[in-house]
Amino acid sequence: MKLQQLRYLVEVARRGLHVSEAAEALYTSQPGVSKQIKLLEDELGIIIFERSGKRLTGITEPGREVVEIAGRMLREAENIKRVGEEYTGGGSGSLVVATTHTQARYALPLVVKQFVDRHPSVRLSMRQGSPTQIAEWTEKGEADIAIATEALDHYPQLVGLPCHQWSHCVIAPSGHSLLAEGSLTLASLARWPLITYDPAFSGRSRINQAFERMQLTPTIMLTAIDADVIKTYVGLGLGIGIIASMAYDPVRDAGIGALDAEHLFGANTTRLGLRRGVRLRRYDYDFIELFAPHLPRHAVDMAMAGGGEEYQL
C-alpha cells in the first residue's frame, strides 16, 4: 500500500468517480490511476468501486470506509510534513489565504502588513475568487485559510469560524434626493435602477431575500464583484449602489454619499474556514488572531476539535 494509491483513491471519490478528471488533477494518466486502484483492491481483497465495464458507477460499503480512512491518512501524512517544515525551516514557510475582493481590498490590508512584519521569512500568497472557489481551494489543500461571507458553511470538510459582522450601505451621488429621505425603505430603493454585487458575492443573497419578502422586483442594471466598480458607475449617475459598508470612505469617495442599510438587509458574518484535521503552524495561528482577535490559539483548537463554530459574535 502506497500513499500515492491513497491519493488516487481519494481524488477519484472527490471527483464524482470521474477517473479522467482525477488523473488530470493529479498530473498523471487515466490508465495509471485505474491500475493503481485495482492493485490496491487486490491487496486489500475487497472491491472499492462498483463498475459497469470500464466505468466506475459507485462506491461499495467497505469502499466508503476505505476512502474515509485514506483521507485521514493523507491528512496525517501532510501533518507530519508540516511538523518537519516548521521545526527545520527557521521561521520560514508558506501561507496561502483565499478570499474575496471585498475582504482583500478593505478588511485584510492592515492584517497582511502586520503579518509580513512579524513573519518576514514566510511567503504569504493571496488568492482571490468567488466564495465557492475559495471553499474548494481550501478543501483541496490549495489554500490554507479561507475568508468569505458566503459558501464556507456548505462544505463539511471545512471548520468555519465567525470573525466579523458587517452590513450594507446604500450609495448615491452627492445631492441625490434619496440621500435626503428621512427613512430609507426598500420601496424607495426599488424606484431606482440599482447597481450591486454579483449574486455569489458580499451578502447579495440577503439583498435579494429582503426585496422578495416585500414582494418587490428591483431593477438591477449592473452587477460586479468589485465595490470600486459599483462606486464608479454610481458616481456617473447610472444608478443607486448597494455595497458593503466597509467599502465606503467619505474622504476617499468624494462626490458620493451613503446611508446605512442594516435595517433593510440585516447583518452579514465573515467566516474563516480551515480544513478539518489539518495541523496548524504557529504563523497560521498568528494570522488568524491578527484578523480575528477573539480567536487566539486555544479558541481555534477548541473549534477544530469540536468540528464546528464554537464561538459566536
Side-chain angles (χ1 to χ4, degrees):
M1 185 186 303
K2 301 171 184 173
L3 285 177
Q4 189 75 309
Q5 291 174 320
L6 302 185
R7 289 192 184 94
Y8 291 169
L9 182 72
V10 169
E11 193 64 30
V12 167
R14 181 184 292 142
R15 299 280 171 173
L17 308 185
H18 296 291
V19 180
S20 59
E21 290 184 15
E24 183 177 354
L26 294 167
Y27 304 102
T28 188
S29 67
Q30 180 176 342
V33 171
S34 298
K35 178 182 177 181
Q36 289 301 319
I37 289 176
K38 186 63 172 64
L39 288 173
L40 181 60
E41 288 179 322
D42 291 343
E43 180 179 347
L44 297 177
I46 61 172
I47 299 299
I48 297 173
F49 293 114
E50 297 169 348
R51 294 169 172 82
S52 176
K54 293 184 178 180
R55 186 169 61 90
L56 304 185
T57 58
I59 306 178
T60 65
E61 183 176 349
R64 285 193 292 270
E65 289 191 47
V66 170
V67 170
E68 182 180 347
I69 294 169
R72 292 203 302 268
M73 291 175 68
L74 291 173
R75 286 193 295 274
E76 291 303 331
E78 181 183 349
N79 288 338
I80 290 171
K81 185 178 180 181
R82 283 177 166 231
V83 172
E85 290 174 347
E86 182 169 9
Y87 284 92
T88 62
S92 64
S94 65
L95 175 64
V96 180
V97 177
T99 190
T100 62
H101 170 84
T102 297
Q103 298 295 329
R105 172 69 176 82
Y106 300 105
L108 284 169
L110 181 59
V111 172
V112 169
K113 176 66 167 61
Q114 292 172 329
F115 180 84
V116 170
D117 288 344
R118 187 179 297 184
H119 298 280
S121 298
V122 175
R123 299 184 306 278
L124 176 63
S125 302
M126 303 277 287
R127 293 188 67 177
Q128 291 184 46
S130 70
T132 298
Q133 288 175 317
I134 290 162
E136 290 177 351
W137 290 336
T138 309
E139 186 182 51
K140 291 187 291 186
E142 296 175 10
D144 301 299
I145 295 174
I147 298 174
T149 299
E150 294 87 0
L152 298 188
D153 54 346
H154 298 155
Y155 287 77
Q157 292 305 314
L158 299 182
V159 175
L161 299 167
C163 296
H164 304 291
Q165 285 193 325
W166 58 272
S167 60
H168 290 95
C169 68
V170 170
I171 59 173
S174 298
H176 194 284
S177 60
L178 186 68
L179 299 175
E181 292 190 13
S183 179
L184 183 64
T185 66
L186 290 171
S188 63
L189 274 181
R191 294 198 300 266
W192 301 94
L194 299 181
I195 305 172
T196 189
Y197 293 107
D198 179 273
F201 289 79
S202 300
R204 172 66 188 278
S205 59
R206 284 184 173 270
I207 295 172
N208 293 348
Q209 291 164 8
F211 282 111
E212 288 169 2
R213 283 194 298 269
M214 297 299 293
Q215 298 183 331
L216 294 169
T217 305
T219 300
I220 307 294
M221 66 89 58
L222 179 75
T223 62
I225 65 174
D226 182 342
D228 291 334
V229 172
I230 297 171
K231 288 186 287 187
T232 296
Y233 283 90
V234 168
L236 293 173
L238 297 179
I240 302 300
I242 304 174
I243 63 173
S245 294
M246 71 180 89
Y248 174 75
D249 184 298
V251 176
R252 181 183 60 234
D253 299 318
I256 294 176
L259 295 172
D260 179 69
E262 183 174 356
H263 65 292
L264 300 181
F265 307 120
N268 301 272
T269 300
T270 296
R271 288 180 169 80
L272 185 148
L274 302 167
R275 256 191 313 156
R276 237 179 253 290
V278 169
R279 179 188 182 276
L280 300 179
R281 300 153 297 194
R282 286 188 291 268
Y283 54 78
D284 295 328
Y285 289 110
D286 282 350
F287 186 94
I288 293 168
E289 190 170 1
L290 285 170
F291 182 64
H294 67 287
L295 292 174
R297 180 169 184 154
H298 72 273
V300 174
D301 287 342
M302 285 180 62
M304 291 287 277
E309 291 183 353
E310 302 292 336
Y311 290 80
Q312 300 298 321
L313 295 176

